[in-house]
Amino acid sequence: MNQRSRARVRRRLRSLALLELINIPLQAVIWFGELGFPVTVANAAGFALFSLLLLEGSAYWGAKLRQMEIPRAPLPGARAFAAARVLNVPVLFAGVAFTVWAVAGDPGRGTIPGLGFALFAVLEHVNYFHTQLMYDNRADRRRLRQHGLCRSHLSRDLALAGARGGASA
């Protein structure tokens, strides 16, 4: 990869890491402030799951940026990401189950946004740890057209780290 391409990738990784973090307070202001959805237990639980996945995403893009500094370096924090991939599943299951139960018991502004956030967190987990669902640049869209859905970048990095003995894939 030439110097110009490396600089472009670094900018993109920095941008992705920062935007994931910015989205947490931004979404809180939009949904709970501007739109006035109440901060109930169900809404807060769903938002907490959503925030957790955005934090993990930001951490991954930051780790990827640090990895670029040393050629052929392992992914920093690969073990933590491998653990998160496993530990997220029961946490997400419990959160979705709770928000579904809350919506079933009292559907409305106090529960439905929480379920939406919880389901979005599940999609983010899939997008980061398993199959890439977000195709927001030309190269990703071209790969989608040519090959269909692909393994996520983090999934590939964890598999590589596992092959190197750096994390269980």
Side-chain angles (χ1 to χ4, degrees):
M1 183 182 302
N2 66 36
Q3 203 61 13
R4 185 182 221 180
S5 295
R6 289 179 67 76
R8 188 173 55 247
V9 169
R10 277 192 197 97
R11 277 192 309 274
R12 175 135 172 89
L13 292 174
R14 254 191 304 277
S15 171
L16 288 168
L18 184 61
L19 288 173
E20 295 290 47
L21 285 179
I22 289 172
N23 252 319
I24 297 168
L26 176 65
Q27 294 301 318
V29 166
I30 290 170
W31 292 97
F32 300 118
E34 294 299 315
L35 296 176
F37 286 102
V39 181
T40 62
V41 174
N43 285 347
F47 191 81
L49 294 174
F50 166 77
S51 298
L52 172 66
L53 268 293
L54 290 179
L55 286 171
E56 290 173 357
S58 179
Y60 170 64
W61 296 123
K64 196 72 182 157
L65 181 62
R66 287 189 304 281
Q67 183 186 31
M68 285 188 70
E69 302 306 319
I70 303 168
R72 292 183 291 285
L75 178 70
R79 287 183 190 273
F81 291 116
R85 179 178 58 192
V86 173
L87 296 174
N88 281 352
V89 174
V91 171
L92 289 168
F93 180 82
V96 169
F98 171 73
T99 55
V100 165
W101 174 80
V103 168
D106 185 19
R109 294 173 53 86
T111 56
I112 293 173
L115 176 58
F117 283 124
L119 293 174
F120 190 78
V122 170
L123 290 174
E124 283 290 338
H125 176 82
V126 171
N127 183 54
Y128 275 115
F129 291 97
H130 302 284
T131 302
Q132 183 176 351
L133 301 176
M134 181 68 174
Y135 295 89
D136 65 341
N137 64 62
R138 198 173 298 152
D140 283 346
R141 287 189 298 272
R142 183 174 40 250
R143 188 170 53 241
L144 176 63
R145 282 191 306 275
Q146 292 174 349
H147 305 288
L149 293 175
C150 299
R151 281 179 80 182
S152 67
H153 294 281
L154 178 53
S155 175
R156 286 181 271 164
D157 282 341
L158 290 178
L160 183 59
R164 291 179 175 170
S168 60

